[in-house]
Amino acid sequence: MPKRLKKLSEEVVLTNQWTTFMHDTYEKPNGEEGDYYYIRYKGNTIIIPVLEDGRVVLTLQHRYLADKQSIEFPGGGIDPHEEDIMESAKRELYEEAGCIATELVKIGVFEPVPGYAQDTSHLFIAHVTEVHNTAPDDTEEFEVLVRRPDEIDRMVMNNEIWHGQTLAAWAIARGHLLKMQPME
C-alpha cells in the first residue's frame, strides 16, 4: 500500500471569487516535515451538447495562459452560494453554446488535476432542442462549432483538441454516445 502524508496544518494564502490558494505542512512517513501548495476550486461542470441529428456542439475560445485557440465542450465553475450543479450546467450550456436542453444526464465525475488542485468536474450529456446566440460574461468570447462524433475523434487524434478536461470528458462520454447512436 502506498505511503500517505499526514497533514499537520492548513492555511489560506490568498483567495478570490473563484480560487483559494492553500499551503499545508505535512509529515512524511520518515517523520520529516514538508510543504504542499495547492489550489482549491468550488467545482465545475462540463456539458456535451448533442443535437437531435447526433452532432455535438463544441466551443472555440482563446485561452490566455496558452495564448492560443482552444476547442472545448461548454463548461465552467460552480458558484455554490448561488446555484446547484444542475443549474450551473444549464447556465454554462446556454452562456457558452447558446443551447437549451430538454434533458441533462450526469454521466461522470472526475478530478482534473489532483496533484496541485482540489477540483471536481461534473460531466453531463445534454439533449439539445434549441440553439440560440451565446451569452458569455465580459471576459469570454465563443465561436460555436458543430461536429459529428467521428470528426471529434479525428480532432483529438490530430491534437486540434488539446484541452485536458475536454479530452477526459470525451473519453468518458464517447461510450455513452455509442449506446445512444452509432458513431460514424
Side-chain angles (χ1 to χ4, degrees):
M1 178 155 185
K3 296 179 180 177
R4 295 182 57 172
L5 304 176
K6 178 183 173 189
K7 183 187 286 192
L8 301 174
S9 69
E10 174 183 278
E11 71 173 319
V12 173
V13 176
L14 178 69
T15 189
N16 63 36
Q17 70 181 26
W18 301 109
T19 309
T20 302
F21 299 87
M22 303 294 299
H23 168 241
D24 288 3
T25 58
Y26 61 86
E27 183 180 302
K28 299 176 188 178
N30 66 5
E32 292 179 11
E33 288 188 16
D35 294 296
Y36 205 104
Y37 294 90
Y38 59 100
I39 303 166
R40 184 178 287 160
Y41 294 102
K42 298 172 183 174
N44 65 81
T45 58
I46 302 168
I47 308 94
I48 299 181
V50 180
L51 301 174
E52 291 178 21
D53 65 4
R55 293 180 302 154
V56 177
V57 178
L58 300 112
T59 63
L60 176 70
Q61 64 179 302
H62 183 266
R63 284 297 181 182
Y64 174 80
L65 291 179
D67 194 24
K68 63 182 180 178
Q69 298 296 310
S70 179
I71 298 170
E72 306 172 13
F73 293 117
I78 299 166
D79 184 340
H81 301 294
E82 296 183 19
E83 62 189 0
D84 66 20
I85 294 168
M86 186 66 72
E87 289 170 335
S88 174
K90 289 177 183 176
R91 176 183 51 76
E92 291 291 345
L93 179 63
Y94 186 76
E95 284 179 7
E96 295 189 4
C99 294
I100 297 175
T102 55
E103 180 182 26
L104 269 87
V105 178
K106 189 170 184 178
I107 61 167
V109 176
F110 64 93
E111 299 290 324
V113 285
Y116 66 87
Q118 286 182 328
D119 194 16
T120 302
S121 297
H122 302 268
L123 179 58
F124 294 86
I125 290 178
H127 301 281
V128 175
T129 55
E130 296 180 44
V131 180
H132 303 276
N133 291 328
T134 61
D137 69 32
D138 64 354
T139 64
E140 301 173 313
E141 186 174 319
F142 300 99
E143 180 180 331
V144 174
L145 307 174
V146 178
R147 299 291 186 268
R148 294 184 320 265
D150 65 300
E151 292 175 306
I152 296 172
D153 286 341
R154 277 196 298 278
M155 294 166 79
V156 168
M157 294 294 293
N158 294 332
N159 203 37
E160 294 170 53
I161 296 176
W162 53 267
H163 181 264
Q165 285 177 294
T166 295
L167 293 169
W170 187 243
I172 295 167
R174 197 170 183 285
H176 290 273
L177 293 175
L178 279 171
K179 293 177 190 173
M180 292 171 40
Q181 64 194 19
M183 296 183 96
E184 299 176 15

